[in-house]
Every structure is written in structure tokens, then in C-alpha cells.
Amino acid sequence: MVVVAVAGGSGNLGRTIVEVLRESTRLTVLVIGRKTASRSPDDSFLAVDYANVDATAQLLAEHKVHTIISTIQGLHPTASDSQVSLIRAAGQSSSVKRIIAGGFGALPAASGPTTAFQVAADEELRKTKLEWTRFVVGFFLDYYAVPKIKTHMPPLCFAVDMDGRKAAIPGTGNEIIAFTYSFDVAKFVAAALDLETWPETTYCYGEKTTFNEFVKLAEQLTGSRFKVEYDALEKLHRGEMTELPAHKSGDSKFPEAVMRGLLTLLGSWVVDGLFNVPEEGALNHKFPEIKPMSIRDALLLRQNVETNKN
């Protein structure tokens, strides 16, 4: 069986990918991470010190890891160093042949990778003989359907506050965005493991629409009018944004300054079209049997929860 190791596989998107991969009888799925406290007896957890490249490379070889899926995200100051060290270890390991780099999300900007996190990873990947790719998936649909939808993604209110019936839309609201459910992303990842070759960028998406159309659908399904405001790109570039009621709830796992920076960055990506995942060459056409969740179905899930509460 092919041995696949998911870096960051005990949390958020990584946990989702691990759950889907473990449905296959043709894969041995390991989890790479620093912590073992949350490990259950059935987990195959490889505790690593990312800074110790030689030891990590040896560990990968000992477990005959063929493919690494990195779900390390660039929000923490040490994340970039961890991913670069993991890539170096994979390159040194005698067993690793393929790696999916972290940063599932937006398209690269016209000038190259979108973030410094991606730039550092790309520079290191090009020094290796590994076959590699990065997934571009758009924006996660999960955030708009909690608490009903099954998800391991942390709470995040971006642009549309379903509870507060308010929207703070970046740009004109007519920019196209791909909304993709995390478990559908995991299914596409699992399918991509069977491809003979990988491009450096792999595309998949759920449903593409605009925030203006998204709000119309939300209003239709909730039976409520949303108060809508628009944030121009210039405002977002200044680090400013229209606050939504959910932003004051204290539910976020991120510090306020980090959250504001993240949301204004996401808003600028929307305006720049970086969430408009290309359809040509996307995995959707290579694996038509994967039927991604629609926006309507996700919002209906959530609305049924609200209806049941009333």
C-alpha cells in the first residue's frame, strides 16, 4: 500500500483530509505533527521536530512515506519555517517522491505566489527532485453553514454574517468566487493521488458565484433582508473593513489584530479575482463522479437548524 503522511493532520483541513483518505483500503495514512497529546490509540502519529531536518528525513524513510500532504497554514510566524524544513526533509528522504504544499486557498497573484509563506515553499521545492503541486480551491463554504454542517474548520465570519443578517462585501460584489466544502476538497485530494503526473498548481472548486448573488440566496432562504455595505479595495489596503456583528462575539480563535489583517487580505483577494478558480484543467472535469456541495444545499442545512430552533 502507498504510505501517505499528512502534516498538520490532527487539525482543521488536515483532519478532514485524513478522515477521507482513511476510507481507502489502498492507502496507509500517517499524521505528522508536533503534538501527541490528542493522539488516540488508533492514530498513526509521527511526532517530529521540524527544525531537525535529518531526523525528520530518517523518520519518513523508516515509515516508507511516499507522499506528503502539507496542511500547514501560514498564519503562525513559525509556519513557514516548519514547512520549509519539512520540504528539505522530504527531499533528503529516500522514500518520499511527491508532496502537496500547504496553502490550500487562493490563486497566485499575477506576479507569482500570493504570500511569503508560498514563496518560501516554492523556492525550497524547486531545489528538490520531488514532484509537487499546490491546491487552489477558492474559499471554504463550511464557514457559512455552521453549526449544522460537518466541519473541522475554525469559526470565521467573512463578508456575510448569517446570524447577524448583515454583509460587508469587498469590492463591488460582482467578483466571482469559488466556494468549496472542505470535505469535497479532501475528496479531490484523494482522487489526485491516483494521477500519474501533477501540475505545479491543481484546481478544484465547488460552486462559483458572486457575493451579491450569495446574499440574494441567503435572503431568500432565511426570509430576511440583509443590511449590505461595500468595502472598496483602497479601504482594505489600509487595513480597514466594515465590522459585522459576529466579529464582536469573541468566538474567533485568532487575536483581533490577526483577524482584521486576515479579513482585509481575503477581501483584497476577492477584488483581485484570486478566488475565481479556473475551470479549465480543474479536477472537477477529471473526476466527474465527485459532486461538490452547492451553496444552496449548505445554506439549507444551516437554515434547517434555525427553523428547528424556532
Side-chain angles (χ1 to χ4, degrees):
M1 291 194 294
V2 175
V3 180
V4 179
V6 182
S10 59
N12 303 146
L13 182 61
R15 182 178 170 188
T16 305
I17 291 174
V18 167
E19 285 187 15
V20 171
L21 293 184
R22 284 183 172 164
E23 295 174 2
S24 172
T25 58
R26 297 182 295 105
L27 299 174
T28 297
V29 184
L30 307 177
V31 174
I32 299 175
R34 291 191 182 92
K35 299 177 182 178
T36 58
S38 61
R39 177 184 175 187
S40 71
D42 295 328
D43 283 341
S44 298
F45 192 100
L46 305 182
V48 301
D49 174 6
Y50 286 115
N52 192 334
V53 173
D54 291 340
T56 302
Q58 182 177 349
L59 189 66
L60 294 172
E62 287 175 356
H63 288 269
K64 298 180 173 60
V65 174
H66 177 276
T67 302
I68 292 175
I69 301 170
S70 173
T71 61
I72 297 171
Q73 296 295 310
L75 295 176
H76 193 277
T78 62
S80 183
D81 291 340
S82 295
Q83 176 155 250
V84 167
S85 295
L86 177 62
I87 293 168
R88 288 175 181 164
Q92 289 183 23
S93 173
S94 59
S95 63
V96 180
K97 306 303 179 186
R98 289 176 140 186
I99 183 168
I100 297 176
F104 290 77
L107 284 161
S111 58
T114 307
T115 65
F117 174 75
Q118 293 177 353
V119 171
D122 284 9
E123 289 178 350
E124 198 61 39
L125 284 163
R126 296 186 195 284
K127 297 176 184 177
T128 74
K129 295 181 180 180
L130 298 170
E131 182 178 21
W132 63 277
T133 190
R134 174 176 288 109
F135 269 67
V136 170
V137 304
F139 194 72
F140 288 111
L141 179 59
D142 308 43
Y143 299 123
Y144 303 97
V146 292
K148 180 63 176 179
I149 199 168
K150 179 182 179 181
T151 186
H152 301 304
M153 304 303 291
L156 179 68
C157 180
F158 173 56
V160 181
D161 186 338
M162 295 295 296
D163 282 329
R165 303 295 196 257
K166 183 177 179 180
I169 296 177
T172 66
N174 293 321
E175 295 83 2
I176 298 175
I177 306 150
F179 293 91
T180 313
Y181 179 36
S182 62
F183 274 87
D184 291 329
V185 171
K187 291 175 184 177
F188 282 118
V189 169
L193 296 181
D194 291 331
L195 294 175
E196 290 187 7
T197 60
W198 286 347
E200 289 188 1
T201 304
T202 297
Y203 304 116
C204 65
Y205 59 91
E207 182 180 355
K208 296 169 71 171
T209 189
T210 67
F211 268 127
N212 283 338
E213 292 300 318
F214 191 110
V215 170
K216 287 181 183 179
L217 178 59
E219 289 179 334
Q220 174 190 338
L221 296 181
T222 61
S224 303
R225 291 285 293 176
F226 280 54
K227 181 180 179 182
V228 180
E229 297 184 41
Y230 295 87
D231 289 337
L233 184 60
E234 295 77 11
K235 179 178 180 179
L236 297 169
H237 282 172
R238 294 196 301 269
E240 300 173 3
M241 49 172 271
T242 301
E243 279 198 345
L244 296 171
H247 297 156
K248 303 175 183 178
S249 66
D251 292 337
S252 173
K253 294 184 178 181
F254 304 105
E256 182 179 349
V258 173
M259 176 58 66
R260 182 174 293 276
L262 173 62
L263 293 176
T264 54
L265 178 63
L266 293 174
S268 67
W269 288 354
V270 168
V271 179
D272 290 338
L274 303 188
F275 285 122
N276 184 9
V277 178
E279 297 181 28
E280 184 177 356
L283 295 182
N284 301 60
H285 304 296
K286 297 179 181 179
F287 302 102
E289 67 276 12
I290 299 176
K291 307 295 184 184
M293 179 177 288
S294 70
I295 297 169
R296 174 179 287 273
D297 285 346
L299 296 188
L300 279 173
L301 274 176
R302 188 184 190 287
Q303 181 60 14
N304 285 339
V305 174
E306 294 186 351
T307 300
N308 292 336
K309 289 179 179 177
N310 294 333

